[in-house]
Amino acid sequence: MKVLGIETSCDETGVAVYDTQEGLLAHCLHSQIDLHAAYGGVVPELASRDHIRRLPILLTQTLELAGLNAADIDAVAYTSGPGLAGALLVGASVAESFALARGIPALPVHHLEGHLLSPLLSADPPQFPFVALLVSGGHTQLMRVRRVGDYALLGESVDDAAGEAFDKTAKLLGLGYPGGPQLARLATQGVAGRFRLPRPMLHSGDLDFSFSGLKTAVLNVVSGPEWDPERMADLAAEFQHAVAEVLCAKALAALKKTGLKTLVVAGGVGANQHLRQVLDEALQKKGGRVHYPEPALCTDNGAMIAFAGALRLAAGEVVGGEPAVRIRPRWPLAELQPPQSARQ
Ligand code: ATP
Ligand code: MG
Ligand code: FE
């Protein structure tokens, strides 16, 4: 079965084809970074309009790359939420129209399920059950994952998401947009520990996180009388260490609580090399393992949506009802159900 995946939840237009027999056949991505850079953040209306411009082009490109015609596609999977309503509407309208025209099913997919399952696309995929650490621009969550669609929330950020903290801190330091990768790059030239930042909620005894105070702590350093911009790399390194230390400690606590040995990391911050190093070492010591998506599939993309949709459809998920453009800008991941045929 060949599934076309469409992602437009935020500022990336992603299209891909996943074949349940042959794997990922093609995926194309257009990032709107340049479009939003001048504003220092995503402008929802501009995002929607750009998805409209890019999606037809990417669709043609992806099919060409995969060596397929529209008639070869068996089903469409699209990001239905969570995300920006206007941006979601573009992908949903195109996906539902494509499916209606071809007489094939269109499956609404949860964006975070896409992120969460993306490590299963790698050459050495994790086995269920596992603990997932979702660290993206909008979410920081620990989930117990029994199988596709069976997700229990163990803990989450009470304020900023980890990626958001990276972006806001980078902005404070005068780095470009989006700041996460730039801050990470700067951190490689610095030494952690020369500044001392807090490890928020490290000893809170639960599996929740808080990152907004860390950004304030950085602000206090850079607006203090002794601040020397030459030491920015040291501050970036300390920031990155603080985030990674807390994420790692809570991920280990989640594994302990659930009695599981496998950790899966997904979302944009999962591309962070320092975080990967810290988690790899910690899990090795505990006799466990960490799985990540391919670096290019950490941030938003169509491949993860095509894949999540294909897993569900292959498990017998039925797409019911009249054709409709289905979006859900707010949608808790733990509300998902396993594919229908797998349910009792
Ligand atoms: P969500 O998935 O929660 O809706 P999103 O789709 O915006 O949010 P992603 O695309 O998964 O999030 O990830 C983007 C985030 O990842 C940004 O905040 C970005 O700064 C961060 N990020 C990307 N690469 C790195 C890196 N190497 N180090 C730290 N952060 C990074
Ligand atoms: Mg993005
Ligand atoms: Fe995302």
Side-chain angles (χ1 to χ4, degrees), residues 10 12 82 111-112 115 136-139 163-164 166-167 178-181 184 267-269 271-272 298-300:
C10 189
E12 261 97 25
H111 179 76
L112 293 178
H115 275 304
S136 59
H139 297 83
E164 190 180 359
F166 263 90
D167 294 338
V269 183
N272 187 276
C298 280
T299 45
D300 294 347

Side-chain angles (χ1 to χ4, degrees), residues 2-5 15-19 23-26 62-63 66 68 73 306:
K2 293 177 179 62
V3 180
L4 178 72
V15 181
V17 180
Y18 182 83
D19 185 334
L24 192 60
L25 298 184
T62 308
L63 288 175
L68 300 173
I73 298 297

Side-chain angles (χ1 to χ4, degrees), residues 211-300:
F211 291 111
S212 74
L214 204 46
K215 166 196 70 195
T216 313
V218 170
L219 179 64
N220 289 339
V221 173
V222 300
S223 52
E226 326 252 280
W227 170 239
D228 173 5
E230 300 260 309
R231 301 177 64 198
M232 196 135 91
D234 292 337
L235 187 55
E238 173 66 9
F239 172 84
Q240 190 172 252
H241 271 67
V243 173
E245 192 178 324
V246 180
L247 289 174
C248 181
K250 300 268 172 162
L252 290 181
L255 289 168
K256 192 170 175 196
K257 184 175 174 178
T258 53
L260 297 171
K261 291 263 180 217
T262 308
L263 179 69
V264 161
V265 181
V269 183
N272 187 276
Q273 287 304 324
H274 174 69
L275 176 65
R276 287 188 176 211
Q277 201 184 325
V278 168
L279 290 173
D280 287 341
E281 280 171 19
L283 267 284
Q284 210 168 13
K285 267 192 208 145
K286 299 268 174 201
R289 271 206 62 187
V290 201
H291 294 261
Y292 309 92
E294 305 291 332
L297 298 184
C298 280
T299 45
D300 294 347

Side-chain angles (χ1 to χ4, degrees), residues 98-330:
F98 187 103
L100 184 63
R102 302 242 39 97
I104 56 176
L107 182 70
V109 169
H110 195 292
H111 179 76
L112 293 178
E113 178 169 72
H115 275 304
L116 193 152
L117 297 176
S118 61
L120 273 74
L121 267 170
S122 63
D124 178 22
Q127 302 287 316
F128 294 110
F130 52 75
V131 167
L133 173 64
L134 268 171
V135 273
S136 59
H139 297 83
T140 301
Q141 298 184 329
L142 280 162
M143 290 274 169
R144 188 189 56 217
V145 179
R146 287 212 176 91
R147 56 184 164 139
V148 174
D150 189 342
Y151 312 123
L153 183 67
L154 300 168
E156 64 184 331
S157 177
V158 297
D159 42 52
D160 291 354
E164 190 180 359
F166 263 90
D167 294 338
K168 287 180 173 171
T169 303
K171 204 168 180 178
L172 265 176
L173 297 178
L175 303 174
Y177 163 86
Q182 303 213 30
L183 200 156
R185 218 169 297 131
L186 179 66
T188 60
Q189 297 156 30
V191 177
R194 290 188 177 156
F195 290 98
R196 190 66 195 163
L197 293 174
R199 274 35 179 180
M201 292 182 74
L202 186 59
H203 302 295
S204 61
D206 56 23
L207 297 173
D208 288 337
F209 306 88
S210 165
F211 291 111
S212 74
L214 204 46
K215 166 196 70 195
T216 313
V218 170
L219 179 64
N220 289 339
V221 173
V222 300
S223 52
E226 326 252 280
W227 170 239
D228 173 5
E230 300 260 309
R231 301 177 64 198
M232 196 135 91
D234 292 337
L235 187 55
E238 173 66 9
F239 172 84
Q240 190 172 252
H241 271 67
V243 173
E245 192 178 324
V246 180
L247 289 174
C248 181
K250 300 268 172 162
L252 290 181
L255 289 168
K256 192 170 175 196
K257 184 175 174 178
T258 53
L260 297 171
K261 291 263 180 217
T262 308
L263 179 69
V264 161
V265 181
V269 183
N272 187 276
Q273 287 304 324
H274 174 69
L275 176 65
R276 287 188 176 211
Q277 201 184 325
V278 168
L279 290 173
D280 287 341
E281 280 171 19
L283 267 284
Q284 210 168 13
K285 267 192 208 145
K286 299 268 174 201
R289 271 206 62 187
V290 201
H291 294 261
Y292 309 92
E294 305 291 332
L297 298 184
C298 280
T299 45
D300 294 347
N301 62 82
M304 67 184 193
I305 302 304
F307 179 62
L311 282 186
R312 282 185 168 273
L313 291 163
E317 174 121 353
V318 181
V319 183
E322 290 293 301
V325 175
R326 296 179 173 87
I327 64 156
R328 200 163 158 194
R330 289 175 178 277

